[in-house]
Amino acid sequence: MNSSSSSKTIGIIGLGLIGGSLALDLYQKGHHILGISRAHQSCRRALERKACHQVSSDMELVRGADLIFLCTPIGSIISTLEAILPYVSASTILTDVASVKGVIVEKCSMLCSNFIGGHPMAGNARTGIEAAQYNLFRNAPYVLTPIETTSVESLEVMQDIIAELGAITYISDPYEHDRSVSWISHLPVMVSAALLESVNSKAEPEILELAKNLASSGFRDTTRIGGGNPQLGLMMAQYNQEAILDSLINYQQVLQEITDHIRKQDWISLETILQRAQSNRPDFLRD
Ligand code: NAP
């Protein structure tokens, strides 16, 4: 297999939001897509939606694939890789899409020398094959986390595929990735869920009722990710515990500072924080 973006046989395991969306785009780009999912319904819909050329719940389908994406939930990436190893040749490149990289890259690289960790930074609150969409990854960052033993060829193949998806490659150390996404993805999930939890559990019933009627774009924006897939949030915490705890503790300190400023009517300090927030926010937004 050469590292150009010529047509490849690509296995995609876990035909949900991310796996299905990869399948749709890569099918359209002319690759031969082998889809594996446990549910018959996921397989059937992947064929109907022209996301895959062949589907099965049997891992043996990936035999002969040039490249395989592991797109199952974080907690089953390692067991999925173990299950496909008997059908994978020495030249097959394996990659995953899990939102946590440190632990996964460490374990998967020990099991397979041709594994390269990946994380497309795109998604939405829905799950399953029906949620899959074209161009989900367009203009989004796609992080690759090669380690010392990763071959240059695997890295180049992945960079070509990411370019075909219209995404932007970032290279990172797996644990630095985890610390970074803890701040901009995993902490926000917890903060957003905590916001929903506090409103629901602490507001008096009649105030809560009115609040529900008045909630508009601001509340929708700040609670979007907290109202997403609970299993994904849970696994982010379980598999990135150290980094997420660090971010949460620092966040609580800032929240306490804000609370103190309001209690002491220290409006100058509060305004300074709000002004810094306003001027720093654009640095985190690509568009
Ligand atoms: P999803 O829509 O639930 O898709 C996962 C698919 O994997 C399911 O449709 C399911 O299909 C299959 N699956 C579920 N449990 C499994 C298990 N125990 N063993 C094997 N297969 C299983 O979830 P997703 O959002 O695509 O997330 C998949 C991966 O993408 C995760 O590792 C996540 O960290 C990563 N990711 C998610 C986002 C996001 O915003 N959602 C963004 C970037 C990366 P069957 O029932 O048919 O098997």
Side-chain angles (χ1 to χ4, degrees), residues 5 34 46-47 62 69 91 104-105 114 128 139 143 154 159 175 189 205 209 211 224 264-265 267 272:
S5 49
L34 310 172
L47 278 181
V62 296
F69 284 86
S91 64
I104 288 190
V105 171
N114 233 357
N139 296 324
V143 189
S154 305
Q159 284 173 318
Y175 285 100
V189 167
E209 206 43 48
R224 183 178 63 79
K264 291 178 193 157
Q265 301 189 359
W267 308 128
T272 304

Side-chain angles (χ1 to χ4, degrees), residues 1-286:
M1 184 178 61
N2 67 43
S3 64
S4 79
S5 49
S6 57
S7 174
K8 291 182 172 51
T9 298
I10 298 179
I12 298 187
I13 307 181
L15 297 170
L17 168 67
I18 300 297
S21 300
L22 282 171
L24 283 170
D25 281 354
L26 295 174
Y27 184 117
Q28 203 178 48
K29 295 285 174 191
H31 298 287
H32 186 77
I33 309 298
L34 310 172
I36 296 190
S37 228
R38 297 166 311 171
H40 172 69
Q41 174 78 351
S42 313
C43 292
R44 189 177 60 77
R45 286 295 291 141
L47 278 181
E48 284 171 1
R49 294 194 64 192
K50 294 207 181 313
C52 299
H53 296 85
Q54 288 170 265
V55 288
S56 178
S57 54
D58 185 342
M59 298 290 180
E60 192 167 359
L61 184 70
V62 296
R63 206 187 274 282
D66 300 308
L67 169 65
I68 300 173
F69 284 86
L70 307 172
C71 304
T72 58
I74 300 171
S76 58
I77 295 280
I78 296 162
S79 58
T80 303
L81 184 135
E82 284 171 331
I84 60 166
L85 277 183
Y87 313 113
V88 166
S89 74
S91 64
T92 309
I93 296 167
L94 273 79
T95 188
D96 76 316
V97 297
S99 315
V100 173
K101 297 272 59 90
V103 176
I104 288 190
V105 171
E106 233 176 75
K107 297 237 164 96
C108 290
S109 304
M110 270 162 31
L111 291 165
C112 172
S113 58
N114 233 357
F115 176 86
I116 172 164
H119 179 199
M121 303 292 302
N124 60 48
R126 297 174 61 217
T127 59
I129 185 70
E130 296 304 341
Q133 62 185 75
Y134 287 102
N135 296 320
L136 181 66
F137 311 103
R138 183 156 291 281
N139 296 324
Y142 195 126
V143 189
L144 291 175
T145 59
I147 54 173
E148 274 173 19
T149 52
T150 308
S151 74
V152 174
E153 193 203 22
S154 305
L155 188 58
E156 284 175 359
V157 168
M158 283 306 298
Q159 284 173 318
D160 286 344
I161 291 284
I162 292 169
E164 282 191 74
L165 294 168
I168 304 149
T169 301
Y170 285 83
I171 306 284
S172 163
D173 167 83
Y175 285 100
E176 284 181 10
H177 161 277
D178 288 356
R179 282 167 51 204
S180 173
V181 295
S182 172
W183 280 113
I184 53 87
S185 173
H186 302 178
L187 173 66
V189 167
M190 300 307 154
V191 168
S192 174
L195 174 58
L196 278 163
E197 178 71 8
S198 20
V199 176
N200 263 306
S201 61
K202 304 290 182 197
E204 303 97 308
E206 64 279 15
I207 299 295
L208 178 60
E209 206 43 48
L210 181 59
K212 283 180 180 170
N213 289 324
L214 299 184
S216 186
S217 54
F219 196 73
R220 188 165 51 237
D221 289 351
T222 45
T223 56
R224 183 178 63 79
I225 48 172
N229 178 1
Q231 291 310 316
L232 181 55
L234 182 65
M235 287 183 201
M236 284 171 175
Q238 289 171 330
Y239 285 80
N240 198 18
Q241 189 186 5
E242 205 176 312
I244 205 167
L245 275 178
D246 189 54
S247 312
L248 274 168
I249 289 164
N250 282 293
Y251 177 75
Q252 282 173 33
Q253 282 170 5
V254 175
L255 210 52
Q256 189 58 53
E257 280 170 33
I258 289 176
T259 309
D260 291 345
H261 296 329
I262 295 174
R263 185 176 291 117
K264 291 178 193 157
Q265 301 189 359
D266 181 355
W267 308 128
I268 291 173
S269 300
L270 179 63
E271 189 178 14
T272 304
I273 291 179
L274 294 174
Q275 273 172 349
R276 262 204 309 267
Q278 186 187 41
S279 68
N280 288 337
R281 184 168 183 266
D283 295 345
F284 294 88
L285 305 177
R286 275 180 309 284

